[in-house]
Amino acid sequence: MTKKFIQRDRIKEQMKKEEAKLKQQKKIEARKKQSKWEQKLSSSPFTVNLVADSERLEEEHNVRLDEEYRRRKMVEHRSEGAKQDIILRALQEESDLEALRREKRAIMEEEYRLKALLDLEKTNSHAKADRMAAVRAEKMRHSTKAEYKRLQNLDAINDLRGRERDLLVMKHALEEPPTGTFGVPDERC
């Protein structure tokens, strides 16, 4: 009986070795298949982490929006600063101080009204009459502004001519020129 037990144990051991060998071969084949498929699918779009890509794109988009918002605010700030500088320079003129204040108030009220009309236009795209009113108001504001600047320039030119005339009179020690049409002195005739 011991021979049979020994023989049985040998056969068992041999079967275990064969089974282990088969398992090892299966593992090797599985690894080969895995590497083969990894190589085949290396350029597949399905292996990309779509969530990470989506998050990256969203983050880039948010950064772009933040940068654009920052740029827009900076431009608005510069524009507002330039407007304020222009208005402050104009307000320093003593003779036109009150008129400039009224002009500034009118411009600001008009700008607020135009901004409100533009905001309303964005919400109501079919409100053509409002858009036309805004365009007319903007044209009116520009023409009023241009007329005002033209009058300021004319005043400045007349003031400069008056100073030049006064300086010439002082330089050449002349009498004050007559203001009337027929008030020409006899010695000059």
Side-chain angles (χ1 to χ4, degrees):
M1 213 140 125
T2 57
K3 276 187 175 181
K4 285 185 180 181
F5 281 120
I6 292 172
Q7 190 179 11
R8 193 175 118 219
D9 285 341
R10 271 193 229 146
I11 291 173
K12 254 186 181 179
E13 240 180 85
Q14 192 178 15
M15 286 175 65
K16 281 183 183 177
K17 283 181 184 177
E18 285 178 11
E19 192 176 324
K21 195 175 183 182
L22 281 173
K23 279 185 181 178
Q24 187 65 24
Q25 284 179 350
K26 282 184 180 180
K27 281 184 184 179
I28 291 171
E29 285 180 27
R31 282 190 203 131
K32 283 182 182 177
K33 282 184 182 179
Q34 181 71 25
S35 66
K36 175 183 167 185
W37 279 104
E38 283 177 0
Q39 188 178 13
K40 279 185 177 182
L41 296 176
S42 65
S43 62
S44 172
F46 296 109
T47 59
V48 175
N49 186 350
L50 296 176
V51 173
D53 267 0
S54 175
E55 288 174 354
R56 180 184 54 80
L57 289 174
E58 186 175 338
E59 181 65 27
E60 287 175 3
H61 179 69
N62 288 339
V63 167
R64 252 185 271 121
L65 287 178
D66 289 345
E67 183 64 29
E68 182 180 324
Y69 177 76
R70 214 174 315 116
R71 260 190 257 121
R72 195 176 329 121
K73 279 294 184 187
M74 188 170 50
V75 167
E76 286 176 9
H77 181 70
R78 285 181 183 168
S79 168
E80 192 63 34
K83 278 186 198 175
Q84 290 298 328
D85 287 345
I86 291 169
I87 291 171
L88 287 175
R89 272 191 249 125
L91 287 176
Q92 290 172 353
E93 296 282 333
E94 291 180 36
S95 62
D96 298 333
L97 187 61
E98 188 58 28
L100 289 173
R101 285 183 181 155
R102 283 194 302 270
E103 178 73 19
K104 180 183 174 186
R105 273 189 231 114
I107 288 172
M108 288 176 68
E109 288 173 4
E110 188 64 24
E111 285 179 353
Y112 288 138
R113 193 177 80 74
L114 288 173
K115 283 181 184 177
L117 283 174
L118 290 174
D119 289 342
L120 184 63
E121 177 184 325
K122 288 178 184 175
T123 57
N124 288 333
S125 61
H126 63 280
K128 187 175 181 180
D130 287 342
R131 281 182 274 153
M132 295 303 290
V135 168
R136 282 194 303 271
E138 184 70 19
K139 285 181 182 176
M140 175 84 84
R141 185 176 73 81
H142 284 298
S143 66
T144 304
K145 205 177 209 181
E147 180 64 23
Y148 181 74
K149 284 181 182 178
R150 188 183 70 77
L151 288 174
Q152 271 187 331
N153 288 339
L154 283 175
D155 287 344
I157 289 170
N158 288 337
D159 187 41
L160 184 63
R161 285 181 182 162
R163 278 193 243 139
E164 286 176 353
R165 184 181 43 83
D166 291 343
L167 288 174
L168 286 173
V169 166
M170 283 176 37
K171 181 180 178 182
H172 296 294
L174 299 175
E175 294 179 13
E176 190 67 31
T179 58
T181 307
F182 299 105
V184 179
D186 291 338
E187 62 218 29
R188 291 185 187 171
C189 291

